[in-house]
Amino acid sequence: MSVSSQTARRALKRPKGLLLPLALLVVAILAAFVLLPGLIAPHDPIALAMADRLKPPSLTHIFGTDEGGRDVFSRIVYGTRYSLGVAIVIVFASALFGVVYGAVSGMASRGIDNLMMRIVDLFFGFPALVLALAVAASIGRGLDSVALSLAIIWWPGYARLVRGEVLRLRERPHVEAARALGVSEITILRRHIISFVIQEVNVRVTTDIGYALVAVTALSFLGLGANSPTPEWGLLIRDSRSYFGSAWWYLVFPGTMIMLTATAFSLIGDALAARRAA
Amino acid sequence: MIGFLFKRLVWGLLVLVAVAVITFFLSRVVPADPAAFLAGQNASEETVQRIRVEHGLDRPLPEQFASYMIGLAKGDLGESIRTRRSVSTDLAQYLPATLELLVVSFVFYLAISFSLAVLAARHPGGAVDGAIRLITMIGTGIPVFWLGMTLQFFFFYKLHWLPLGSRFPIRETAPPLVTGFMLVDSLLAGSPSAFLASLKHLALPAATIVINLLAVGTRMSRAALIQEQSRLYVRTARGKGLSPRRIMFKHILRNALSPILTATTMQFGYMISWVILVEVIFDWPGIGLYAYQSFQVFDYSPVIALAIVSTAGFVIINLVMDLLYPVIDPRVQSVGS
Amino acid sequence: MILSVRDFSIGFQREGESLVAVDGVSFDVEEGETFVIIGESGSGKSLTGMSVAGLQPPTAFVSGSIRFKDREMLRRPDAELRKMRGPEIGLIYQDPLSSLNPVWPVGDQIAETLTAHGLADRAEARKRAIEMLERVRIPDPHRVAAAYPHEISGGMRQRAMIAMALAAGPSLLIADEPTTALDVTIKAQMLELLAELKREMALTIVLITHDMGVVAEVADRILVLYAGRIAEIGPADAIMLQPSHPYTAALMTSAMISQTPAKQDLNAIVGGAPGLGSFPAGCRFHPRCPRAQHDCLSVEPPRRKFGTVELACHYPIEAAMPLEIARG
């Protein structure tokens, strides 16, 4: 191995040490955005102020203003609740359903398990966005419709994951021992198996939040999700379409926010996974 | 082998049936007035009534379901209020544009992805490898629609190198329609300027898709190659005195194809979702944009149809991939999924 | 003398530490003989064998000299070594299933040895591949040539690997544990085949193994390797009849004690071989040696000649005084 590739490898390893704390910092900031937007955002996200429309970033408007003169930064801050909030709800809901489904399937008899998994396989074939479009057409637009479609897309992943783990664990020695002692299947499931599986699920949930966020914003961008004047991040980008050629800040900042958030959750998920493997 | 194919075929049909059921549910059962749903928001009372009769929407549900399924089997995907044509006709018209975009993107993606993966595998832990890991990490977080707009910002608004959207310059006449693939048709018409123009319009939408595919796919190819590289037959190949290039292309790549193929199938699924976003952003006249524009004016039959058609496409792709597996890896007898 | 190894050492860097896996090994291999390197896992035998063909791990540091047909092999650019692998040096390995490319037919893999070196075009190479398969006594060469590795039996796979290694007519065959993964019955066949091929094709064989039975069957000369150092080296008959090094003696004993050939391995000796990085000081065998004395713990035994055999031991069995000090 040449010396240069050795040093390159070491150099690549060191930034990783910085990345995780940065990711956690981002998440902390986002939490602040969600919980205390009023304290952090300097301006009203909804009220129009036409005199200030499409102003570039400045000291008063660090991310510039949009076509209604509203402060982009404030809109982003208030929007966190919608974009990230919905993403979290989706992931938790689908995780919940998926875990229960997968656990039942894993503990059930072969035949039932097979059937249940076939149904899961079915769901894997559907292109997400198109399904969301159809659902939105059917039950109407809005963040709830988006949440529903995405939850429907997401839960099979958890079902499969949990069922796989349950199958793997249910024949383990300590489980056999408990069974021999007459412990009921449900209690076995709860105490011995789920505790292991939950860790695995946690890793997935963390990473999925990032992906769900991107999906939610994509659907809002198409007009399926939030409605004006809700400052949802995808909606912001959609609104910027007519102006971003000259008002670059209108495009850059909301998009970077999405990217940062998704990457941060991804990194934390990876770190959790690495810690589990260790 | 036949048995395996048959099983997969049946499974594919089941998936399609499931989608049909779901779309039936969404379009006939859920809406308060299915006729109004299909007729669109601005329809007159007569239109709504006409639709109600034509589609048999006042019949009992089981009967509706039967005729819906029969209609699907015959290729009847409903009627678009916006274009006043059958959806099938519309889809046939707009499909080539989408296909051209997807095919070109995918080919470029494969070429770049393989080159990067080969480079990374040659020097694990080196510069290319690290770059790939970095790109993958960031890339999975980039929303595809934002990426498209960012590319537009740089290449159109700032640099003026590439057009903002659509398939062909507005002021010029497009080459005569033969295949529906603009690139092919320009060549057939013997017009290099048309070819160049089509290429310029294709560049940004394709680049958006390619970059996103690279973000999700390269890590997989790289991992597959690196894993193959450490296998024993590679040591044997070295022992035979084969050159590193020969070993990489004839032995390692060939063996890595199987796991890469699996990942590719997944990527098709992503691509189908991205197509709508990319077509909307770049005003690319494909089936995604068509369905979306219909959606915007509450013309919902095309949307439903798109769900069915894209699922069908995905099922077909899966089948083709399944067919390829035994060819690529002779160890695979006919074990399913 | 087709192969001449002088003071050969291999080391690795692990977390800043230098670990020497093979330490100052020297030996010669005469043309046409079967030279067996025997040792436990971790003794450095595979490393030594592979290094002859320049196939040591790329992260390894080497020193000393390996001369093949009077050409220095170490520190030679890989591009030149590559030209020798196949036409001049052939290699076979332990696990034929993993060592063959799973997605290519066997015949093509044999033919590749020829086409890659420009020794034949594709059609000619395919023909020669079939001939080679016949030569390794495969009854239905056409079927096997068209088959994939997983479609033929383990014994046939090993034969195919031999065919692949010998297709380009090398003069030296390095066999790294060729019989370890094989059935008892097939083991014997394989060794017989190697012996026959050696005669027919005028080969020199360097065979690496931990199996004493193999030594008994085919060895002309033996090198006993322990923890990266030579314990004993000399004619097979002499060593097997009268092992002088305590380690060799223990090997013989355990081999003879075990009833089934499968157990003829060295783990029957008390204790285990030391791993890389934890080699004892002095004579490396001293913790397991029944004859160890005080100086064995701190002084590395020099290599000395005892008749036809050379060994590195302070207190060899049958403690005759050394007749002469051999060159290290």
Side-chain angles (χ1 to χ4, degrees):
Chain A
M1 193 172 7
S2 67
V3 180
S4 56
S5 68
Q6 264 182 314
T7 32
R9 178 179 285 186
R10 245 179 259 129
L12 282 171
K13 278 205 177 120
R14 211 170 288 131
K16 270 255 158 101
L18 280 177
L19 285 177
L20 185 58
L22 273 177
L24 289 169
L25 183 66
V26 169
V27 173
I29 294 179
L30 289 169
F33 283 4
V34 169
L35 296 171
L36 309 160
L39 279 182
I40 301 179
H43 300 269
D44 187 316
I46 311 283
L48 294 173
M50 297 311 273
D52 289 327
R53 74 191 299 262
L54 295 175
K55 285 244 164 79
S58 62
L59 283 176
T60 36
H61 297 282
I62 56 172
F63 283 175
T65 61
D66 67 4
E67 79 277 14
R70 297 172 287 203
D71 179 35
V72 172
F73 177 68
S74 304
R75 299 205 82 204
I76 289 180
V77 170
Y78 274 92
T80 315
R81 207 172 258 184
Y82 300 94
S83 309
L84 189 57
V86 172
I88 293 179
V89 164
I90 290 171
V91 173
F92 272 87
S94 47
L96 193 64
F97 185 73
V99 166
V100 170
Y101 189 96
V104 168
S105 183
M107 296 297 285
S109 66
R110 246 290 169 79
I112 299 185
D113 175 35
N114 245 343
L115 178 65
M116 291 180 81
M117 275 303 123
R118 283 299 180 202
I119 298 179
V120 166
D121 286 342
L122 214 63
F123 275 83
F124 269 104
F126 297 165
L129 218 64
V130 182
L131 190 70
L133 215 62
V135 168
S138 182
I139 71 174
R141 302 154 204 219
L143 280 175
D144 43 354
S145 150
V146 162
L148 184 66
S149 333
L150 288 179
I152 293 177
I153 301 293
W154 239 284
W155 75 261
Y158 289 99
R160 224 184 232 180
L161 173 71
V162 170
R163 177 236 185 210
E165 289 293 298
V166 167
L167 276 183
R168 192 173 62 89
L169 288 170
R170 74 191 258 199
E171 311 302 330
R172 279 284 170 81
H174 59 91
V175 175
E176 290 286 353
R179 210 173 268 140
L181 287 173
V183 183
S184 79
E185 289 290 307
I186 296 186
T187 319
I188 289 182
L189 177 69
R190 218 170 8 103
R191 218 177 281 146
H192 297 275
I193 299 181
I194 291 283
S195 42
F196 280 101
V197 171
I198 285 291
Q199 292 172 36
E200 196 68 54
V201 169
N202 280 342
V203 171
R204 242 255 181 125
V205 161
T206 316
T207 331
D208 271 356
I209 290 180
Y211 298 143
L213 173 72
V214 173
V216 166
T217 51
L219 290 176
S220 288
F221 173 82
L222 288 179
L224 272 68
N227 285 313
S228 272
T230 315
E232 199 272 339
W233 297 348
L235 206 51
L236 288 179
I237 298 185
R238 173 194 174 89
D239 289 340
S240 80
R241 272 194 86 193
S242 315
Y243 310 103
F244 75 97
S246 45
W248 57 268
W249 53 93
Y250 203 172
L251 174 67
V252 167
F253 292 114
T256 312
M257 221 35 226
I258 301 176
M259 195 176 77
L260 267 179
T261 310
T263 313
F265 276 99
S266 226
L267 269 170
I268 297 177
D270 279 350
L272 279 177
R275 187 164 301 162
R276 278 206 73 231
Chain B
M1 174 67 154
I2 303 287
F4 165 69
L5 261 184
F6 185 68
K7 259 190 5 188
R8 298 296 285 160
L9 205 70
V10 167
W11 185 241
L13 277 170
L14 259 160
V15 173
L16 285 177
V17 166
V19 160
V21 168
I22 292 178
T23 50
F24 174 78
F25 190 74
L26 286 175
S27 59
R28 304 281 196 269
V29 178
V30 171
D33 182 1
F37 176 79
L38 290 174
Q41 229 181 35
N42 305 313
S44 62
E45 185 54 43
E46 299 149 3
T47 323
V48 175
Q49 191 50 30
R50 171 174 70 85
I51 300 247
R52 187 170 293 136
V53 169
E54 259 178 33
H55 292 258
L57 292 173
D58 41 5
R59 304 298 181 111
L61 266 180
E63 214 185 298
Q64 282 194 50
F65 184 65
S67 63
Y68 182 77
M69 296 302 274
I70 295 175
L72 275 184
K74 281 198 279 183
D76 174 16
L77 289 165
E79 183 189 305
S80 164
I81 302 296
R82 185 170 60 99
T83 65
R84 286 181 224 284
R85 294 188 303 191
S86 78
V87 174
S88 337
T89 317
D90 283 339
L91 285 181
Q93 180 182 340
Y94 293 113
L95 187 62
T98 305
L99 281 182
E100 186 174 29
L101 179 59
L102 286 181
V103 167
V104 169
S105 306
F106 201 68
V107 165
F108 269 95
Y109 157 70
L110 281 180
I112 298 179
S113 170
F114 265 127
S115 315
L116 283 179
V118 166
L119 276 174
R122 278 257 185 92
H123 307 278
V128 177
D129 198 15
I132 290 182
R133 292 219 307 277
L134 197 68
I135 293 177
T136 319
M137 188 175 64
I138 297 182
T140 38
I142 294 188
V144 66
F145 59 95
W146 186 68
L147 178 64
M149 287 172 71
T150 310
L151 287 177
Q152 278 177 326
F153 178 75
F154 281 112
F155 288 96
F156 175 74
Y157 287 109
K158 281 294 160 204
L159 294 169
H160 306 291
W161 283 355
L162 292 169
L164 187 63
S166 94
R167 236 179 146 191
F168 206 74
I170 306 177
R171 282 173 243 276
E172 301 173 27
T173 37
L177 185 72
V178 177
T179 60
F181 291 92
M182 204 69 88
L183 291 177
V184 176
D185 289 346
S186 332
L187 288 176
L188 286 179
S191 166
S193 67
F195 183 78
L196 202 60
S198 322
L199 209 56
K200 277 180 148 188
H201 281 261
L202 187 53
L204 285 184
T208 311
I209 296 182
V210 169
I211 293 177
N212 255 74
L213 278 177
L214 283 176
V216 300
T218 314
R219 176 193 260 176
M220 213 283 143
S221 327
R222 166 200 168 275
L225 278 186
I226 289 189
Q227 192 178 48
E228 286 306 310
Q229 217 172 27
S230 60
R231 296 240 194 265
L232 291 178
Y233 66 82
V234 173
R235 172 196 60 174
T236 308
R238 270 193 224 122
K240 278 182 358 189
L242 303 182
S243 68
R245 176 194 253 154
R246 197 191 180 101
I247 296 180
M248 173 60 78
F249 288 105
K250 293 217 158 166
H251 290 260
I252 296 182
L253 266 184
R254 186 72 184 62
N255 273 278
L257 274 182
S258 184
I260 290 181
L261 203 65
T262 318
T264 308
T265 319
M266 248 178 24
Q267 282 148 27
F268 270 116
Y270 284 127
M271 273 211 301
I272 295 180
S273 286
W274 292 339
V275 147
I276 298 183
L277 291 165
V278 170
E279 286 187 5
V280 165
I281 293 175
F282 290 97
D283 208 27
W284 187 264
I287 58 179
L289 183 62
Y290 163 70
Y292 179 68
Q293 284 173 336
S294 306
F295 175 83
Q296 289 206 296
V297 295
F298 303 93
D299 174 20
Y300 288 140
S301 299
V303 175
I304 305 288
L306 182 67
I308 298 176
V309 166
S310 55
T311 309
F314 191 58
V315 165
I316 293 176
I317 289 172
N318 265 297
L319 269 172
V320 169
M321 293 294 169
D322 282 332
L323 272 176
L324 284 178
Y325 270 116
V327 169
I328 289 182
D329 191 344
R331 286 173 295 184
V332 172
Q333 291 306 313
S334 56
V335 186
S337 36
Chain C
M1 194 162 49
I2 193 172
L3 188 62
S4 169
V5 177
R6 290 282 173 273
D7 206 25
F8 170 67
S9 302
I10 278 196
F12 298 94
Q13 285 262 57
R14 230 195 287 167
E15 286 147 29
E17 255 192 285
S18 294
L19 302 165
V20 180
V22 177
D23 193 5
V25 166
S26 306
F27 61 90
D28 293 328
V29 178
E30 299 295 335
E31 213 171 322
E33 74 175 349
T34 303
F35 187 83
V36 176
I37 304 179
I38 183 161
E40 290 164 274
S41 46
S43 55
K45 56 191 195 303
S46 286
L47 277 174
T48 310
M50 289 292 127
S51 303
V52 169
L55 287 175
Q56 68 274 20
T59 52
F61 299 95
V62 293
S63 73
S65 144
I66 294 184
R67 296 188 79 87
F68 171 69
K69 287 189 187 163
D70 208 32
R71 276 173 293 169
E72 178 60 52
M73 298 297 278
L74 297 180
R75 289 167 237 102
R76 190 173 266 253
D78 197 60
E80 291 179 33
L81 289 174
R82 246 185 277 142
K83 294 209 192 88
M84 298 169 72
R85 296 179 202 128
E88 298 190 63
I89 303 180
L91 294 112
I92 60 176
Y93 312 90
Q94 175 174 337
D95 181 0
L97 182 57
S98 316
S99 301
L100 290 171
N101 190 334
V103 302
W104 272 22
V106 169
D108 288 356
Q109 297 189 45
I110 301 177
E112 191 185 26
T113 316
L114 295 164
T115 51
H117 290 279
L119 295 171
D121 62 26
R122 287 182 62 181
E124 170 74 25
R126 286 227 186 93
K127 253 200 299 173
R128 307 246 295 254
I130 308 263
E131 281 167 24
M132 278 313 297
L133 285 172
E134 280 170 355
R135 266 210 135 141
V136 295
R137 324 283 196 261
I138 285 184
D140 190 356
H142 288 275
R143 180 185 76 85
V144 170
Y148 292 98
H150 67 277
E151 290 175 343
I152 57 180
S153 73
M156 279 207 263
R157 277 196 287 268
Q158 187 64 293
R159 287 170 198 266
M161 192 158 64
I162 296 175
M164 192 165 71
L166 298 179
S171 30
L172 172 67
L173 175 67
I174 302 177
D176 191 357
E177 310 249 26
T179 58
T180 306
L182 295 178
D183 250 344
V184 173
T185 38
I186 308 189
K187 245 195 253 256
Q189 288 174 18
M190 209 54 58
L191 293 174
E192 213 180 286
L193 174 65
L194 283 176
E196 284 167 13
L197 287 172
K198 189 178 91 165
R199 276 194 312 267
E200 289 171 24
M201 299 179 67
L203 286 173
T204 308
I205 301 183
V206 171
L207 199 152
I208 301 163
T209 184
H210 64 266
D211 186 344
M212 258 312 182
V214 169
V215 173
E217 283 256 359
V218 295
D220 292 325
R221 283 172 64 233
I222 307 176
L223 163 57
V224 181
L225 210 57
Y226 185 82
R229 289 199 185 140
I230 295 185
E232 192 164 359
I233 176 172
D237 300 330
I239 293 189
M240 291 185 62
L241 274 170
Q242 186 56 277
S244 313
H245 196 289
Y247 178 56
T248 320
L251 290 185
M252 293 286 159
T253 321
S254 66
M256 287 188 293
I257 287 179
S258 4
Q259 294 308 304
T260 56
K263 290 214 192 102
Q264 273 174 8
D265 73 341
L266 302 81
N267 299 322
I269 308 178
V270 72
L276 187 61
S278 41
F279 290 151
C283 170
R284 291 186 173 168
F285 186 58
H286 80 250
R288 302 163 79 188
C289 182
R291 300 169 64 82
Q293 312 271 344
H294 200 61
D295 43 348
C296 298
L297 277 79
S298 49
V299 180
E300 181 185 339
R303 183 160 149 173
R304 296 180 291 179
K305 211 167 162 79
F306 280 83
T308 49
V309 165
E310 287 179 34
L311 66 154
C313 179
H314 290 301
Y315 301 98
I317 304 170
E318 230 217 32
M321 292 308 288
L323 298 178
E324 62 190 63
I325 311 287
R327 292 187 330 258

